[in-house]
Amino acid sequence: MRYIILGDVLILFGVLFGIFGGGSALANFIVESDVQISLPVTAGMVGLLFFSGLLIQLAALKKSMFFPFVALVLSLIQLGLYCYESIKGGFNWWLSPVLKLMNFSESIGKAGNYIGIMILIALILLPAIIFPLMMKRE
């Protein structure tokens, strides 16, 4: 049951990240910025989060090794993409549309850095959470 909830959380986070993220088309349309470099990474992250959530749910329901293995590989790719963008644009790269819209960007930027670090820790822990699904032999 907890893996199904984890899958739902990943899917929801992927949708929110896709709508409001730094490279999303909606954010670029609202802010009219030129953040095309992050657009492929954001689209990749959204797709990977969505499919990882589905695969974690399928891995919890099925007793196949395929679903947890693919979810583990996708979570490692997500971690790599997030680290790449964090090195390139800071931990709050996904928050850039909000920073451009609001005047008090320094306080939001600090909060975005903390949230970005928490997202990084969650993405690091995600393979460790998926790994027990691979060992499940009931």
Side-chain angles (χ1 to χ4, degrees):
M1 181 68 175
R2 62 182 174 195
Y3 289 108
I4 294 174
I5 294 171
L6 175 66
D8 288 339
V9 168
L10 282 175
I11 291 170
L12 180 66
F13 183 69
V15 168
L16 292 175
F17 191 77
I19 293 173
F20 301 110
S24 70
L26 178 66
N28 286 335
F29 178 71
I30 291 172
V31 181
E32 297 175 359
S33 67
D34 52 350
V35 191
Q36 270 72 17
I37 296 172
S38 294
L39 186 59
V41 174
T42 302
M45 289 280 294
V46 168
L48 288 172
L49 283 167
F50 185 80
F51 287 117
S52 297
L54 287 177
L55 287 172
I56 289 173
Q57 289 177 341
L58 286 173
L61 296 175
K62 304 282 184 183
K63 294 186 179 161
S64 172
M65 284 293 291
F66 175 75
F67 297 118
F69 181 74
V70 174
L72 180 69
V73 170
L74 290 181
S75 68
L76 292 174
I77 294 170
Q78 290 171 50
L79 178 62
L81 283 174
Y82 190 82
C83 288
Y84 170 75
E85 280 297 318
S86 294
I87 289 171
K88 196 171 77 173
F91 282 112
N92 60 357
W93 63 271
W94 50 273
L95 197 61
S96 61
V98 176
L99 293 175
K100 290 180 182 178
L101 284 176
M102 303 188 131
N103 292 333
F104 43 92
S105 62
E106 185 176 319
S107 60
I108 291 178
K110 287 180 185 177
N113 283 333
Y114 293 131
I115 294 171
I117 292 170
M118 286 189 273
I119 292 171
L120 179 63
I121 291 170
L123 287 176
I124 289 171
L125 292 176
L126 187 59
I129 294 170
I130 295 172
F131 193 69
L133 278 173
M134 296 175 74
M135 299 296 150
K136 189 170 129 178
R137 301 264 188 216
E138 294 177 3

